[in-house]
């Protein structure tokens, strides 16, 4: 059965999907997602507030942590509007331009997070392997340049995606698999040749997730080699403990990402809700857990939070 094509002046609208098969009880889903949004927004907001107000935290490590918190807030606010309308108000239609904008911001912040985790691994490498040169290598201006690199790289790579999709004709059936717009979902809807889109999408993934994860792994190989050269077992553990928060952030970002990719590639016959749940884990878990991990594992932030709670009590 042939699809009806939209001409260039008649851009399609898309239909968002919550959990397949549970359309009549999806408002309950927001009772689960709502607290995740609250933890993510409040937690990352607190991290920014604490780093800004605490003079002792004005160091490269915490500047990068602040950038990670800004990024996590961006991910949360990018998905919030359509998740709220889909699960709470059952408003499932989204215009072409709104969908392209949401897709841009979701992927922009996703690829930016990969870059931020990479520069954070460089910070840990310098702090452990070249501690005497830490302040001279990671000056404020260099930290700013590294942060701008993560932002500009992500923007330049993601910017062509909406343009490459807009040039294609779309069929009448424009149902999406999620409550938000993602490029791997949208790329299956056009009726035209998507070869260029697929090649460019693969290039983006390999030059960000692929390259960043390899460099992060390499930095930890160097860190581990340096740590093993320390004679004292207690000092080795103390040094490794400074990397635990970043390692957790890397794992909770890359493991769900790998899970989503594997499900999309090899789980084509899996129930649709499996793809939806994997996508929710990938987009919701890192922004929620990052501030929790850094609050628990970072003594300075934990101490500041404790003072805030005591002040509130009295």
């Amino acid at each position: 059965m042939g699809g009806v094509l939209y001409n260039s002046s008649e851009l399609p609208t898309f239909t968002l999907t919550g959990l397949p098969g549970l359309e009549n009880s999806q408002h309950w889903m927001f009772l689960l997602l709502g607290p995740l949004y609250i933890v993510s927004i409040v937690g990352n907001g607190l991290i920014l507030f604490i780093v800004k107000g605490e003079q002792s935290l004005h160091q490269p490590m915490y500047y990068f942590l602040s950038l990670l918190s800004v990024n996590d807030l961006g991910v949360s606010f990018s998905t919030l509007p359509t998740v709220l309308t889909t699960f709470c108000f059952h408003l499932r239609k989204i215009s072409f331009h709104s969908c392209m904008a949401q897709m841009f911001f979701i992927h922009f912040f996703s690829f930016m997070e990969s870059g931020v985790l990479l520069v954070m691994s460089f910070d840990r490498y310098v702090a452990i392997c070249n501690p005497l040169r830490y302040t001279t290598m990671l000056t404020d201006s260099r930290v700013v340049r590294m942060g701008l690199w993560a932002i500009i790289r992500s923007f330049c790579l993601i910017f062509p995606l909406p343009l490459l999709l807009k040039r294609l004709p779309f069929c009448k059936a424009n149902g999406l698999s999620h409550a938000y717009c993602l490029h791997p979902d949208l790329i299956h809807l056009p009726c035209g040749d998507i070869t260029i889109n697929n090649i460019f999408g693969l290039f983006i993934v390999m030059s960000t997730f692929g390259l960043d994860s390899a460099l992060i792994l390499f930095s930890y190989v160097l860190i581990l080699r340096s740590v093993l050269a320390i004679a004292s077992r207690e000092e080795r553990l103390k040094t490794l403990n400074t990397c635990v928060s970043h390692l957790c952030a890397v794992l909770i970002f890359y493991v769900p990402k790998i899970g989503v990719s594997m499900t999309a590639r090899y789980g084509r016959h899996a129930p649709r809700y499996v793809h939806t749940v994997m996508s929710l884990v990938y987009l919701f878990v890192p922004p929620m857990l990052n501030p929790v991990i850094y609050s628990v594992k970072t003594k300075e932030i934990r101490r500041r939070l404790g003072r805030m709670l005591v002040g509130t009590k009295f």
Side-chain angles (χ1 to χ4, degrees):
M1 183 177 175
V4 179
L5 301 182
Y6 288 85
N7 59 42
S8 58
S9 62
E10 186 187 354
L11 293 171
T13 58
F14 299 104
T15 303
L16 301 167
T17 304
L19 284 177
L22 298 174
E23 286 80 3
N24 296 325
S25 57
Q26 294 197 98
H27 57 280
W28 293 105
M29 190 63 187
F30 198 77
L31 294 179
L32 171 63
L33 299 179
L36 299 186
Y37 273 120
I38 293 170
V39 172
S40 173
I41 293 168
V42 173
N44 286 294
L46 276 173
I47 294 287
L48 291 173
F49 177 77
I50 290 170
V51 172
K52 182 179 183 297
E54 193 73 22
Q55 191 68 31
S56 63
L57 299 182
H58 292 182
Q59 304 172 32
M61 173 184 172
Y62 299 106
Y63 292 147
F64 292 138
L65 175 58
S66 297
L67 188 57
L68 183 65
S69 292
V70 169
N71 188 88
D72 286 339
L73 286 171
V75 173
S76 296
F77 284 121
S78 296
T79 58
L80 179 59
T82 52
V83 168
L84 184 66
T85 55
T86 300
F87 287 111
C88 289
F89 304 110
H90 306 291
L91 302 175
R92 298 169 58 201
K93 296 292 182 181
I94 184 170
S95 69
F96 180 88
H97 289 297
S98 296
C99 191
M100 291 301 104
Q102 185 181 51
M103 179 198 74
F104 172 84
F105 283 110
I106 289 175
H107 290 298
F108 167 75
F109 287 116
S110 179
F111 289 119
M112 179 179 155
E113 181 152 355
S114 181
V116 173
L117 291 172
L118 175 59
V119 297
M120 292 176 83
S121 72
F122 179 73
D123 168 82
R124 291 297 84 209
Y125 163 74
V126 176
I128 293 171
C129 299
N130 293 285
L132 297 178
R133 299 180 60 195
Y134 183 79
T135 54
T136 56
M137 291 182 69
L138 288 175
T139 60
D140 287 350
S141 61
R142 190 163 290 167
V143 168
V144 170
R145 287 200 297 270
M146 291 168 72
L148 286 175
W149 166 81
I151 295 169
I152 293 170
R153 182 190 69 160
S154 182
F155 179 86
C156 291
L157 288 173
I158 301 302
F159 185 75
L161 287 183
L163 303 177
L164 288 172
L165 280 171
K166 190 175 181 179
R167 70 185 177 86
L168 296 169
F170 280 78
C171 296
K172 189 74 174 180
N174 286 320
L176 300 177
S177 303
H178 309 287
Y180 33 78
C181 299
L182 297 175
H183 184 262
D185 204 9
L186 289 162
I187 198 64
H188 297 296
L189 300 180
C191 305
D193 184 9
I194 60 171
T195 303
I196 294 175
N197 301 65
N198 283 330
I199 293 172
F200 186 67
L202 179 62
F203 166 74
I204 293 176
V205 171
M206 294 305 296
S207 60
T208 52
F209 295 136
L211 180 61
D212 293 351
S213 59
L215 290 174
I216 290 170
L217 179 61
F218 180 63
S219 70
Y220 271 100
V221 169
L222 297 178
I223 287 170
L224 189 59
R225 188 180 69 173
S226 179
V227 169
L228 291 176
I230 299 173
S232 168
R233 181 175 180 274
E234 185 178 333
E235 283 299 314
R236 287 200 298 267
L237 292 174
K238 184 179 178 181
T239 303
L240 283 174
N241 193 51
T242 64
C243 300
V244 170
S245 298
H246 178 255
L247 271 173
C248 290
V250 169
L251 290 174
I252 63 174
F253 177 76
Y254 281 105
V255 170
K257 173 62 182 173
I258 293 169
V260 169
S261 301
M262 296 294 285
T263 304
R265 186 171 182 82
Y266 300 109
R268 293 175 183 174
H269 301 295
R272 285 181 61 194
Y273 68 81
V274 172
H275 298 268
T276 304
V277 170
M278 289 299 297
S279 174
L280 287 171
V281 169
Y282 169 59
L283 287 174
F284 281 81
V285 170
M288 178 197 69
L289 285 185
N290 281 337
V292 175
I293 290 168
Y294 275 94
S295 298
V296 170
K297 293 298 297 180
T298 308
K299 184 172 62 177
E300 292 83 356
I301 294 177
R302 195 168 64 243
R303 187 187 302 129
R304 174 64 170 165
L305 276 172
R307 289 208 302 267
M308 288 172 63
L309 291 172
V310 171
T312 303
K313 183 180 286 189
F314 292 99

